[in-house]
Amino acid sequence: MMSISEPANLPDAPGTTATVLRTILWQPAGLIAVSVVVLFVLIAILAPWLAPHDPLSQSFLSINAQPTADHLLGTDQFGRDVLSRLIYGSRNSLIIGFLSPTLAALIGGTLGVIAGYFGGITDRLVTRVIDMLMAFPELLLAILIAAALGGGFWNVVAVLTVAFTPGFARVARASTMSVKEEPYVEAAIAAGLRTPIIIVRHVVPNIAAPIVVLLTLWTASAIRLEATLSFLGIGTQPPAASWGNIIREGLSNIFATSWPILAAGLAITVVVMAISILGDIMRDILDPEIN
């Protein structure tokens, strides 16, 4: 018989990641949203094998063709297969949409943690830069920077990273200022732990939840902004395909065929809605003010 002093073999409590994933998948809306995002990510990864035609191949014999068995979404004004361009366009749109907020979270989160933890002149300098950048809406700031840098993949990534960094920095700063007053942080300081160890072990894990929620929500915004910049001609540059410049090219040819606009617009709408739903669900799970 087990003595009172012997610990029972209890199963480990599930981690936060497993709890969040299980909660999302148990909800019909969350399951559908995850399925949509995974589907489009797989389409982007497998684009060379899924695309029925070369997205850059032109054919003057099939300009503005309506959907057929060979061209399921028809062709554009240059005779290029719309479906193939849509599939390859998902690569630029999704990579930029996921990469830019991630970089912004790393940069802004680092600045916010430094400002919130150390305070003083460091906090004032970082706060002034954040306030200056946040005086401009993300779209306006992105347009201003993109107009100065020009189009291109990495320029668009840099533009959106700068546009989203202030928001992450403000959230990280506020969360850090709250966490550093907690007893476990004060105990770590009293124990003589070095500052980098305290930040990595005690501060960052406890401010991760709002950063992850914001990252999810702004991934949808990044996809929309990339499409907007490409539509305005200062994002992904032709002949490279993105959903935004597919709509731009289709608009100038709308009276001949509307399939490029409809297909790219639907893809943007579906992906943005799916990621927004995931962001809302994660906010409901992780935000302590809601719970």
Side-chain angles (χ1 to χ4, degrees), residues 95-96 99-101 103 152-163:
I95 290 175
I96 293 174
L99 181 60
S100 300
L103 293 176
F153 177 85
W154 288 110
N155 284 349
V156 175
V157 170
V159 164
L160 296 182
T161 299
V162 172

Side-chain angles (χ1 to χ4, degrees), residues 22-39:
R22 185 172 61 249
T23 305
I24 291 174
L25 295 179
W26 269 102
Q27 302 185 36
L31 180 59
I32 294 173
V34 169
S35 300
V36 168
V37 173
V38 171
L39 174 62

Side-chain angles (χ1 to χ4, degrees), residues 50-116:
L50 294 178
H53 299 278
D54 183 346
L56 304 180
S57 177
Q58 302 181 18
S59 174
F60 292 102
L61 299 178
S62 57
I63 291 176
N64 296 327
Q66 294 300 307
T68 62
D70 191 36
H71 301 285
L72 295 179
L73 292 177
T75 61
D76 61 11
Q77 65 268 41
F78 301 107
R80 298 174 299 192
D81 183 65
V82 173
L83 178 59
S84 298
R85 289 187 61 76
L86 191 71
I87 291 173
Y88 271 88
S90 65
R91 284 189 154 187
N92 283 327
S93 297
L94 294 182
I95 290 175
I96 293 174
F98 285 110
L99 181 60
S100 300
T102 301
L103 293 176
L106 293 175
I107 298 171
T110 301
L111 292 175
V113 169
I114 291 173

Side-chain angles (χ1 to χ4, degrees), residues 38-54:
V38 171
L39 174 62
F40 274 90
V41 169
L42 289 176
I43 288 174
I45 294 174
L46 302 176
W49 295 274
L50 294 178
H53 299 278
D54 183 346

